[in-house]
Amino acid sequence: MSSKIWHVKTSTPNSLRLYLIRHGETEWSLSGRHTGRTDIPLTQNGESEARELGKRLWDIPFAHVLTSPLKRALQTCELVGLDKVPEIETDLAEWDYGDYEGQRSADIHKERPDWNIYRDGCPRGEMPEQISDRVDRLIARLRKLDGNIALFSHGQVGGVLAVRWIRLAVAEAQHFTLGTASLSIFSFDPHHPGVPVIALWNAVSH
């Protein structure tokens, strides 16, 4: 795959560009188990995915590198190997699944056939309005920054970050799935600098 896919050119006066990176494969992501606050490492394949992604990002100058405090994101950040000391950002942590931690959607649907996390949230975990507030708080801080910002995070909170960036409701995040060790880029419309856009979504190098 050509590395050109990772460089989305814009001419906007607003130079803020967010590079959202989902962590590499884990045993639970492979099996479809909801992994919120359970702190598990990458698989060997997940480590390889992260290193491969790093080859596509090495020549991009980053002003800041922010990472979820969870091991799988930290490990991905380390293996990608950006030339910047990472900063821990707790708001990049994955959705708190509460009672649904470690369960598969198929298992949850046996008891709640119409369950949708983006609409219903998780008992004794985070509800949609809570994660929306968390992500909005993060976006407000990010918009005070400038340049290229790398964000190492997770699948479902990453989807919420995408929809809130373009000012959609959390429920729309069900349409924004992310693969492991994927890259997405958020920026602004070059012709309308006040309009946030998704310039690249769910690009993978593996």
Side-chain angles (χ1 to χ4, degrees), residues 69-85:
L70 294 166
K71 184 182 299 181
R72 55 196 184 275
L74 288 166
Q75 198 175 358
T76 301
C77 179
E78 179 182 358
L79 292 169
V80 165
L82 302 181
D83 188 21
K84 203 75 178 179
V85 176

